[in-house]
Amino acid sequence: MFATTASVLVDTTVATMARGADDTGYGLVRDAALVLDDGRVAWLGPRDELPEPWRRAEPRSLGGALTTPGLVECHAHLLFADDRPGGAPRADGGVAATVAATARCRDDDLVAATLRRARWFVRQGVTTLELKTGYGVEPEAELRLLRIAARVRAALPVRTSITLLAGHVYPPDADPDEYLLRVCDELLPAAIEQGAIDQVEVYCDETDGITMEHASTILETVYRRKIPTRVSADRISDSAGGALAPAFYSKLAAHLNHTDDIAVKAMGRAGTVAVLLPGALLELGTAGQAPPVDLLREQGVPIAVSTGFEPDTSPLADLRAAAHLGRTLLGLTPAEALHGITSVPGRALSFADAGTLAVGGRADLAVWDAEHPEDLVHWLGAPTCRSVLAAGQPVGGAW
Amino acid sequence: MFATTASVLVDTTVATMARGADDTGYGLVRDAALVLDDGRVAWLGPRDELPEPWRRAEPRSLGGALTTPGLVECHAHLLFADDRPGGAPRADGGVAATVAATARCRDDDLVAATLRRARWFVRQGVTTLELKTGYGVEPEAELRLLRIAARVRAALPVRTSITLLAGHVYPPDADPDEYLLRVCDELLPAAIEQGAIDQVEVYCDETDGITMEHASTILETVYRRKIPTRVSADRISDSAGGALAPAFYSKLAAHLNHTDDIAVKAMGRAGTVAVLLPGALLELGTAGQAPPVDLLREQGVPIAVSTGFEPDTSPLADLRAAAHLGRTLLGLTPAEALHGITSVPGRALSFADAGTLAVGGRADLAVWDAEHPEDLVHWLGAPTCRSVLAAGQPVGGAW
């Protein structure tokens, strides 16, 4: 009965990335069969245990390739206009220059630019992707970016998670306290009314973000509205931002280069996922301090890895490269690095089935010209992503 | 007359990477036309200056994409057998484990593995590629790798430069002086007799390579035979290896993390190209010391950038990622980083026309989903390489 619609994939090693499945940490199934039906995984296991009805279907050989869950990019600033029209050298204005360029950009062009970047990620195996605002800053401009994000979501074949970055930087010349009132009284109610927000984020860093007090006020307002929160904190200095995440049961806390042990302990108790961004660390150069990886492990904080893609401070557009840098720059094990871009962020983005392959879950998967999952984080720039499927449909590479 | 065989490419910005052509440093030609004929560049310039005969040909639109010379990878260890059969975890044996795995590997498998890696590079825009031996160590094993290299060269559609790494490490349990005699008396004459060597290299580092005295003896022997030399030196410690390169008029000297100012001055006078390997530096972690970039600039030493691809200490398989890391880890300017993977190594590998686009030169080029050459080294993992042509023929991507 189901043999007519299902496709049966064989000649592949599957890394399910399910925890506890085996002692490799990758949930390896060698010489596997994988049955996709109606966008979901209908069966997964050793080929010689494939149940009878599917044995009769004509299988599709993956030629020995490795299959993993589609990758999960949980922290990416894709929504902005490039401030280098016609290829002029990049303006040195940082966030302010990007905000100005984004304001000048027409809606359709902004959608197109964001889709182009999103496709960079999809082609390289990503099937779950965050869409974060933040280059609006003023309430009206942030609401516009949320509408752009909704258009991008509708045009993409992969799952997206939309984040309103409600506290990124203060507008130039604005009084910070007055800006905070506008965020809480204008932006947040209007954004919630407008819909299509999966979570609200604050960027807390005394050096170039908003203050811990203001971040706390925003998080409390959002928490009372029962919207999930997330935090970026302590990138350049310890601003106690890391401690805010567990205080408001945030699912994710990013950067954490300068986060102290008290905050890390609280994250461990609250179940907050640490999102490490080695690409952002790279761009900081010698000014960068690595996040406290050993402490995170000791306190049982789940570790996700992300490109932290953004135009100025983390120009990293390949999630697997971020995992590689997690290994080489931050000392993650290969298994930690790979879970960091699959199972760990998958859970944190509130998609129960993202980042792992299991029966009943969505058929989001990537096929690689590789033999072993360790290859995916050992090399940088290889091996190649051969095919990407979202809900069982090809969305990148050849199929 | 030539309109029948020539192809005329339009709707592209060309970065010729010719020096002194303009004040951008990229040799930019906007709204360019590029005429390819019989594997060479027949004409290149602004489209509205395209000479009459070619105006009548049907042009091929590149849709606004950026065209650059094919990239030049001048330092890559592609010839080895992977020591992780069936995906087992990597043995911690470093060079010795890779040498043993390579010895066990059948010739055909070694050719196939090397070709697979070479194609990683070609798909990402590389049209000139070094093939370096070194995982043989014993004379007979190195001669075998030279034969493998010749087979790989014959099977690849891009230009290759074959390097005999005649002094890499001492064989375990061998007397170093006795090994040196075998290299000079057995390996070098037999290798020269066998043919297909473009240059001979030594790896000089007191910590894990051969000594300065032994390296000097090998270089002198090679120099007397009028074969070009190159040096890898001072990766982990200052072993005075950097000073050897100018002493024997070596074209290239790689690593140089600990090379002192006297050696750098000599390199400047001798015209030796410094090959910087940020991927290898990344893998060294906190133990790594960056090469003296400011000093190299001051002394007029041309700077090339390479992946330094090898299985253990530089698992970087994307030359453009190396250029990006040159920018972020080593502080190269975008123009230095891009010249470092095009025009500078092109000259050093003795192909006068590699790494730049000019009339009369080979039509080796890469087409990118980018607007400006700076984009190629600004991002890591994007934009995408759309097409790669070698001698005017498509060898990677869509065409």
PDB file of all heavy atoms in Angstrom, chain B residues 72-83:
ATOM      1  N   VAL B  72      45.480  29.631  -7.780  1.00  0.00           N
ATOM      2  CA  VAL B  72      46.740  28.884  -7.831  1.00  0.00           C
ATOM      3  C   VAL B  72      47.057  28.348  -6.435  1.00  0.00           C
ATOM      4  O   VAL B  72      47.307  29.117  -5.507  1.00  0.00           O
ATOM      5  CB  VAL B  72      47.892  29.795  -8.307  1.00  0.00           C
ATOM      6  CG1 VAL B  72      49.205  28.999  -8.353  1.00  0.00           C
ATOM      7  CG2 VAL B  72      47.575  30.388  -9.684  1.00  0.00           C
ATOM      8  N   GLU B  73      47.010  27.044  -6.279  1.00  0.00           N
ATOM      9  CA  GLU B  73      47.353  26.399  -4.999  1.00  0.00           C
ATOM     10  C   GLU B  73      48.792  25.902  -5.100  1.00  0.00           C
ATOM     11  O   GLU B  73      49.081  24.954  -5.828  1.00  0.00           O
ATOM     12  CB  GLU B  73      46.381  25.250  -4.727  1.00  0.00           C
ATOM     13  CG  GLU B  73      46.735  24.392  -3.521  1.00  0.00           C
ATOM     14  CD  GLU B  73      47.017  25.196  -2.266  1.00  0.00           C
ATOM     15  OE1 GLU B  73      46.081  25.481  -1.498  1.00  0.00           O
ATOM     16  OE2 GLU B  73      48.212  25.554  -2.064  1.00  0.00           O
ATOM     17  N   CYS B  74      49.678  26.568  -4.370  1.00  0.00           N
ATOM     18  CA  CYS B  74      51.109  26.318  -4.567  1.00  0.00           C
ATOM     19  C   CYS B  74      51.749  25.430  -3.500  1.00  0.00           C
ATOM     20  O   CYS B  74      52.968  25.216  -3.541  1.00  0.00           O
ATOM     21  CB  CYS B  74      51.862  27.644  -4.665  1.00  0.00           C
ATOM     22  SG  CYS B  74      51.903  28.570  -3.119  1.00  0.00           S
ATOM     23  N   HIS B  75      50.967  24.943  -2.528  1.00  0.00           N
ATOM     24  CA  HIS B  75      51.592  24.141  -1.464  1.00  0.00           C
ATOM     25  C   HIS B  75      50.560  23.168  -0.901  1.00  0.00           C
ATOM     26  O   HIS B  75      49.835  23.479   0.042  1.00  0.00           O
ATOM     27  CB  HIS B  75      52.112  25.070  -0.356  1.00  0.00           C
ATOM     28  CG  HIS B  75      52.900  24.367   0.707  1.00  0.00           C
ATOM     29  ND1 HIS B  75      54.260  24.509   0.860  1.00  0.00           N
ATOM     30  CD2 HIS B  75      52.530  23.498   1.668  1.00  0.00           C
ATOM     31  CE1 HIS B  75      54.687  23.771   1.864  1.00  0.00           C
ATOM     32  NE2 HIS B  75      53.642  23.147   2.383  1.00  0.00           N
ATOM     33  N   ALA B  76      50.463  21.989  -1.491  1.00  0.00           N
ATOM     34  CA  ALA B  76      49.423  21.050  -1.056  1.00  0.00           C
ATOM     35  C   ALA B  76      49.943  19.621  -1.077  1.00  0.00           C
ATOM     36  O   ALA B  76      50.507  19.170  -2.067  1.00  0.00           O
ATOM     37  CB  ALA B  76      48.201  21.181  -1.966  1.00  0.00           C
ATOM     38  N   HIS B  77      49.739  18.946   0.034  1.00  0.00           N
ATOM     39  CA  HIS B  77      50.111  17.527   0.164  1.00  0.00           C
ATOM     40  C   HIS B  77      48.878  16.680  -0.158  1.00  0.00           C
ATOM     41  O   HIS B  77      48.132  16.303   0.740  1.00  0.00           O
ATOM     42  CB  HIS B  77      50.529  17.206   1.596  1.00  0.00           C
ATOM     43  CG  HIS B  77      51.711  17.973   2.102  1.00  0.00           C
ATOM     44  ND1 HIS B  77      52.956  17.414   2.236  1.00  0.00           N
ATOM     45  CD2 HIS B  77      51.842  19.249   2.532  1.00  0.00           C
ATOM     46  CE1 HIS B  77      53.807  18.310   2.729  1.00  0.00           C
ATOM     47  NE2 HIS B  77      53.153  19.429   2.915  1.00  0.00           N
ATOM     48  N   LEU B  78      48.664  16.401  -1.431  1.00  0.00           N
ATOM     49  CA  LEU B  78      47.460  15.655  -1.797  1.00  0.00           C
ATOM     50  C   LEU B  78      47.700  14.152  -1.904  1.00  0.00           C
ATOM     51  O   LEU B  78      46.752  13.373  -1.937  1.00  0.00           O
ATOM     52  CB  LEU B  78      46.933  16.147  -3.152  1.00  0.00           C
ATOM     53  CG  LEU B  78      46.488  17.608  -3.230  1.00  0.00           C
ATOM     54  CD1 LEU B  78      46.103  17.960  -4.651  1.00  0.00           C
ATOM     55  CD2 LEU B  78      45.314  17.866  -2.306  1.00  0.00           C
ATOM     56  N   LEU B  79      48.979  13.769  -1.953  1.00  0.00           N
ATOM     57  CA  LEU B  79      49.331  12.375  -2.249  1.00  0.00           C
ATOM     58  C   LEU B  79      49.530  11.568  -0.968  1.00  0.00           C
ATOM     59  O   LEU B  79      50.645  11.462  -0.456  1.00  0.00           O
ATOM     60  CB  LEU B  79      50.641  12.344  -3.036  1.00  0.00           C
ATOM     61  CG  LEU B  79      50.590  12.784  -4.493  1.00  0.00           C
ATOM     62  CD1 LEU B  79      51.919  13.388  -4.928  1.00  0.00           C
ATOM     63  CD2 LEU B  79      50.280  11.580  -5.361  1.00  0.00           C
ATOM     64  N   PHE B  80      48.460  10.999  -0.470  1.00  0.00           N
ATOM     65  CA  PHE B  80      48.588  10.136   0.711  1.00  0.00           C
ATOM     66  C   PHE B  80      47.372   9.235   0.787  1.00  0.00           C
ATOM     67  O   PHE B  80      46.351   9.499   0.152  1.00  0.00           O
ATOM     68  CB  PHE B  80      48.718  10.963   1.996  1.00  0.00           C
ATOM     69  CG  PHE B  80      47.512  11.821   2.282  1.00  0.00           C
ATOM     70  CD1 PHE B  80      46.445  11.333   3.022  1.00  0.00           C
ATOM     71  CD2 PHE B  80      47.442  13.128   1.804  1.00  0.00           C
ATOM     72  CE1 PHE B  80      45.333  12.122   3.270  1.00  0.00           C
ATOM     73  CE2 PHE B  80      46.328  13.932   2.053  1.00  0.00           C
ATOM     74  CZ  PHE B  80      45.271  13.420   2.790  1.00  0.00           C
ATOM     75  N   ALA B  81      47.488   8.172   1.568  1.00  0.00           N
ATOM     76  CA  ALA B  81      46.331   7.309   1.821  1.00  0.00           C
ATOM     77  C   ALA B  81      45.752   7.712   3.161  1.00  0.00           C
ATOM     78  O   ALA B  81      46.476   7.971   4.115  1.00  0.00           O
ATOM     79  CB  ALA B  81      46.756   5.851   1.852  1.00  0.00           C
ATOM     80  N   ASP B  82      44.437   7.751   3.208  1.00  0.00           N
ATOM     81  CA  ASP B  82      43.778   8.094   4.458  1.00  0.00           C
ATOM     82  C   ASP B  82      43.952   6.933   5.427  1.00  0.00           C
ATOM     83  O   ASP B  82      43.777   5.782   5.061  1.00  0.00           O
ATOM     84  CB  ASP B  82      42.294   8.341   4.184  1.00  0.00           C
ATOM     85  CG  ASP B  82      41.697   9.237   5.242  1.00  0.00           C
ATOM     86  OD1 ASP B  82      42.053   9.062   6.424  1.00  0.00           O
ATOM     87  OD2 ASP B  82      40.893  10.107   4.892  1.00  0.00           O
ATOM     88  N   ASP B  83      44.333   7.250   6.654  1.00  0.00           N
ATOM     89  CA  ASP B  83      44.608   6.194   7.628  1.00  0.00           C
ATOM     90  C   ASP B  83      43.374   5.848   8.459  1.00  0.00           C
ATOM     91  O   ASP B  83      43.480   5.378   9.562  1.00  0.00           O
ATOM     92  CB  ASP B  83      45.764   6.603   8.538  1.00  0.00           C
ATOM     93  CG  ASP B  83      45.490   7.913   9.247  1.00  0.00           C
ATOM     94  OD1 ASP B  83      44.675   8.706   8.726  1.00  0.00           O
ATOM     95  OD2 ASP B  83      46.078   8.158  10.311  1.00  0.00           O
TER      96      ASP B  83
END
